[in-house]
């Protein structure tokens, strides 16, 4: 199922190439279909959403918006232990994201000049929440909470109906607890387009976030610029670094927790200890028997799993920085000392008792993370994802007079005489 | 050349529609050509860059990288007044952007849990600087300085040769003063691709920034994901708000300083005073005669210029927020009071003595700003554009035990049993 290789330069390059290939090109056929849907929703609003909902989902709800009453019912009927678990998660996620808040600033100078930067939340944000088995309440929290903390005035959500025609009640509970303002029962590219342009039912948003299938992801790409979007997430990944002090039981469990997401997911172990490598493979074979998603895990590990034995610590660090994984676990004797060495990773999990699902659900940092090596330049979703900035300048006549010659000189260097004129005309 | 209309709902909607149409679709032919260039540069490196440079620029430099000596020569031979003006601009731009720096944070809890967010500069950034008449030294400063302050380790730059085969010396001066590390004499889509993939001459970067023609802009769009990019800038815009205290001479000059950029640029005046509207139009007709780019200004004002008389202050503010302009000038009796009311604007210029060119070159805030109404959700280029974040989590065994039940419950709700297993296996 999963092979042990020694780091030798070649194996890693092949692995990297295989991983990077997972996030393929946009499918042309999908792109054409989605373009058509977007155009129709732009022109015909709800009517087009209704048409495509009937076409793809088989039927269409009478009314798209879910009543406050139905949301309250979901909350009343929810298992109290689940509500309490969500509330604990919300507390932790809020505490972490509160630390990310940036402040507006204003500088005044002695000559009367005032300058600054104003930061505020976007006016309205739309969260896409998939239906079916990929309906994750934790994803609602991770998208809604940073938006709320950023000061977004209104958070709306779209989610497709379940087979029975109703919304997934766990999703409604998560949305109610996280402070989502309005929920619409619709999915697919038509729902994304509805949020981007606004329809009779759905208000126009400034940014669309949240995961979705290939149609939704393509719609988001095509709508980028009409609205802002979050990253287009690729298949999920974990990289585990382990020395001889690591516990193979934990290593195996954590690799499989990633692999169960999807046959395209990637789980890689780097270790300096060949024995740990062998024991981890044995543990995978042992533990997998008890897991409900055994088949997906097997496929994922066979295609994109790897166990690589490294010569030393530095080789593990170099490989980790090269792979730039979404999730990075460090199970070594001195995990905290790695913080400054790991340059490219979405989220870093340090020590034996910080498994990735802790971060997926609970600890506080966001679980929407850059994938496919993009941690080299992208960052986790956060409060910054939901703000906009404006700069402002106030100059006095004297201050502008002082700057007059320099500005005119630069403007003339750039052959922009009307720029120079706008300074000169004032004196 | 430019007409005065009264705000009545209809005129503004038509104006908005016209403005939004300027940033059209990607041209399919251009897109196909650029795709081909990207593929070849990815596969053949310098050899492909050389081929396309010869094809498009007529000849190709012997060596792409510009020697340190040539850069130093440009600096030695530069007009001292220009160097001094650039140094003053650099001081102001650095002071403003230094205020944007975010700090890493770390939180420790009494139960031993450690969590935080690490912020650092990207490893390597590439700046595209156009050649010809659009070679703007100020643009080098606005792209390089925030990258430097963000802690980017290496800043490289590409710029196409002038007709004589050499680099524009003003650009070299700006690059040397702003701390650009290496400069390569190449342009077009091939230069963007060289930075994205790396070639024998050009090192691979993490992010490409800077303006360019349609080929460069298309290349950046297609390379997004391989590297990060800045916004794709649309045609430039200014919106000026004026009450009866404004000076029509200044209003006219500022509108034309925007209009001279390009026939697609847009300059709009909103005023509560009909007399100011009439006088401004007269001033435009008077001042335009002395400007070298008269023809561009005439075209731009005729197509995308407007003077709109508003009933009151609130109507001006509402229209400004709807238009979400790149540059917004406020020339009213009490300009500072507008800061909190103007929700969507890249940069706001307050008062009679804060004309837009002051911000383009000198005051400190960045001149790379969201265009085409995207100030609703995009922000000016800044230090945040050149950083990456990672979160980190360290839990103790006791802390994880405490969280055990909640995490397992949420994982099982999401039917992710391997996630639950990774917690359970530790106890």
């Amino acid at each position: 199922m999963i092979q042990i290789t020694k780091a030798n330069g070649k194996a890693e390059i092949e692995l990297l190439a295989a991983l990077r290939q997972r996030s393929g090109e946009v499918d042309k056929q999908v792109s054409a279909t989605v373009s058509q849907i977007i155009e129709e929703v732009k022109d015909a609003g709800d009517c087009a959403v209704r048409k495509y909902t009937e076409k793809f989902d088989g039927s269409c709800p009478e009314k798209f918006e879910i009543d406050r009453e139905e949301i309250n019912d979901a909350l009343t009927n929810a298992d109290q232990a689940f509500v309490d678990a969500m509330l604990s998660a919300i507390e932790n996620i809020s505490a972490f994201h509160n630390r990310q808040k940036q402040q507006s600033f204003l500088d005044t100078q002695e000559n009367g000049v005032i300058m600054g930067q104003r930061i505020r939340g976007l006016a309205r944000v739309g969260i896409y929440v998939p239906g079916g088995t990929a309906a994750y309440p934790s994803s609602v929290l991770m998208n809604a909470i940073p938006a709320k903390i950023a000061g977004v005035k209104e958070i709306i959500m779209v989610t497709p109906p379940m087979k029975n025609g109703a919304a997934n009640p766990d999703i409604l509970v998560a949305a109610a607890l996280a402070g989502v303002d309005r929920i619409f029962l619709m999915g697919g590219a038509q729902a994304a387009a509805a949020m981007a342009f606004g329809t009779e039912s759905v208000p126009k948003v400034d940014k669309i976030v949240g995961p979705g299938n290939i149609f939704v992801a393509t719609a988001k790409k095509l709508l980028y610029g009409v609205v802002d979007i979050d990253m287009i997430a690729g298949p999920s990944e974990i990289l585990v670094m382990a020395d001889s002090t690591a516990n193979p039981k934990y290593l195996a469990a954590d690799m499989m927790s990633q692999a169960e997401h999807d046959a395209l997911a990637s789980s890689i172990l780097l270790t300096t200890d060949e024995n740990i490598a062998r024991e981890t493979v044995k543990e995978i074979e042992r533990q997998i028997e008890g897991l409900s998603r055994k088949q997906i895990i097997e496929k994922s590990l066979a295609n994109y799993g790897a166990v690589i034995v490294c010569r030393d610590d530095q080789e593990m660090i170099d490989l980790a920085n090269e792979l730039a994984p979404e999730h990075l676990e460090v199970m070594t004797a001195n995990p905290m000392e790695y913080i400054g060495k790991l340059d490219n990773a979405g989220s870093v999990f340090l020590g034996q008792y910080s498994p990735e699902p802790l971060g997926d659900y609970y600890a506080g940092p966001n679980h929407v993370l850059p994938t496919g090596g993009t941690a080299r330049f992208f960052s986790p979703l956060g409060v910054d994802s939901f703000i906009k900035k404006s700069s402002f300048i106030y100059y006095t006549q004297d201050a502008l007079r002082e700057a007059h010659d320099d500005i005119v000189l630069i403007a003339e260097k750039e052959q922009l005489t009307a720029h120079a004129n706008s300074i000169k005309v004032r004196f």
Side-chain angles (χ1 to χ4, degrees), chain A:
Chain A
M1 179 158 52
I2 188 162
Q3 289 201 326
I4 300 174
T5 53
K6 287 201 184 177
N8 61 7
K10 190 157 164 286
E12 299 92 270
I13 290 171
E14 281 169 9
L15 177 66
L16 253 180
L19 292 178
R20 300 280 145 90
Q21 262 181 352
R22 290 180 305 161
S23 40
E25 292 290 295
V26 175
D27 184 287
K28 277 197 185 127
Q29 185 57 49
V30 171
S31 195
T33 307
V34 170
S35 285
Q36 175 68 26
I37 295 171
I38 288 174
E39 279 311 307
E40 286 188 42
V41 172
K42 186 180 172 185
D43 292 342
D46 277 351
C47 181
V49 177
R50 199 165 288 281
K51 169 184 156 186
Y52 283 107
T53 302
E54 275 164 8
K55 182 169 173 186
F56 296 128
D57 298 348
S59 69
C60 184
E62 192 67 28
K63 191 165 145 283
F64 288 120
E65 185 160 5
I66 299 177
D67 290 331
R68 186 48 49 185
E69 207 176 311
E70 189 179 339
I71 299 168
N72 289 341
D73 282 354
L75 206 48
T76 313
N77 297 330
D79 172 18
Q80 193 55 44
F82 174 59
V83 172
D84 288 344
M86 293 302 271
L87 286 174
S88 294
I90 289 171
E91 193 182 331
N92 292 340
I93 298 165
S94 300
F96 186 85
H97 286 83
N98 265 317
R99 288 293 309 264
Q100 295 182 327
K101 272 184 89 164
Q102 292 193 61
Q103 302 297 327
S104 297
F105 67 80
L106 179 142
D107 276 334
T108 56
Q109 297 173 11
E110 281 187 20
N111 61 359
V113 165
I114 303 174
M115 248 181 303
Q117 177 174 268
R118 189 170 163 232
I119 293 185
R120 57 220 177 285
L122 300 179
R124 192 185 288 120
V125 163
I127 303 177
Y128 188 95
V129 180
T133 53
Y136 297 140
S138 60
S139 167
V140 176
L141 306 190
M142 292 295 183
N143 281 286
I145 293 170
K148 203 86 190 165
I149 290 173
V152 171
K153 291 198 203 93
E154 188 175 30
I155 303 174
I156 71 164
M157 189 176 106
V158 294
T159 189
M162 300 189 302
K163 282 199 181 118
N164 67 4
N168 180 321
D170 295 338
I171 295 294
L172 296 187
V173 169
L177 295 175
V180 171
D181 296 293
R182 300 176 68 183
I183 308 176
F184 301 87
L185 203 55
M186 54 173 69
Q190 61 274 20
M195 293 197 284
F197 297 110
T199 69
E200 300 86 328
S201 305
V202 182
K204 179 181 167 68
V205 305
D206 295 313
K207 179 162 186 161
I208 299 176
V209 296
N213 64 18
I214 178 77
F215 290 92
V216 176
T218 304
K220 281 168 64 182
K221 266 190 201 169
L222 294 174
L223 292 166
Y224 180 62
V226 177
V227 291
D228 190 18
I229 61 168
D230 58 353
M231 306 160 266
I232 304 289
S236 200
E237 309 153 342
I238 193 170
L239 182 71
V240 186
M241 292 168 60
D243 65 14
S244 58
T245 67
N247 186 332
K249 267 169 73 178
Y250 305 173
L251 300 176
D254 295 359
M255 289 174 76
M256 290 192 291
S257 79
Q258 197 56 35
E260 80 169 329
H261 271 296
D262 162 3
L264 288 172
S266 168
S267 309
I268 297 170
L269 171 65
L270 305 180
T271 178
T272 47
D273 187 320
E274 231 180 302
N275 193 41
I276 291 281
R278 276 192 300 269
E279 289 302 315
T280 303
V281 173
K282 276 188 209 156
E283 270 296 328
I284 288 175
E285 286 161 2
R286 201 170 299 146
Q287 290 180 35
I288 198 172
E289 296 306 325
L291 298 175
S292 59
R293 290 174 170 242
K294 184 182 165 195
Q295 286 186 316
I296 297 173
I297 296 171
E298 279 175 341
K299 263 195 209 161
S300 158
L301 290 180
N303 291 328
Y304 302 108
V307 174
I308 299 175
V309 180
C310 296
R311 268 184 302 271
D312 55 24
D313 221 46
Q314 191 57 47
E315 190 170 60
M316 288 204 293
I317 291 168
D318 291 345
L319 257 172
N321 283 334
E322 183 66 26
L323 287 161
E326 182 187 15
H327 305 97
L328 177 48
E329 286 189 0
V330 183
M331 299 217 226
T332 58
N334 51 355
M336 290 297 292
E337 294 173 16
Y338 287 71
I339 293 182
K341 297 174 183 169
L342 300 167
D343 277 334
N344 301 323
S347 197
V348 182
F349 300 80
L350 299 157
Q352 311 288 331
Y353 294 99
S354 311
E356 193 228 286
L358 168 68
D360 283 348
Y361 296 131
Y362 200 76
N366 211 288
H367 78 195
V368 182
L369 300 167
T371 56
T374 59
R376 246 174 63 222
F377 40 80
F378 289 151
S379 299
L381 192 76
V383 173
D384 282 354
S385 313
F386 296 102
I387 60 170
K388 56 186 167 184
K389 303 171 211 161
S390 293
S391 50
F392 55 88
I393 303 173
Y394 171 81
Y395 258 50
T396 62
Q397 185 175 19
D398 283 349
L400 188 65
R401 185 179 292 118
E402 193 78 24
H404 176 287
D405 293 354
D406 282 346
I407 300 175
V408 169
L409 182 68
I410 302 175
E412 287 174 350
K413 265 281 182 201
E414 296 191 351
Q415 297 171 39
L416 294 173
T417 54
H419 280 59
N421 178 60
S422 119
I423 306 295
K424 288 186 204 162
V425 79
R426 284 170 159 87
F427 295 99

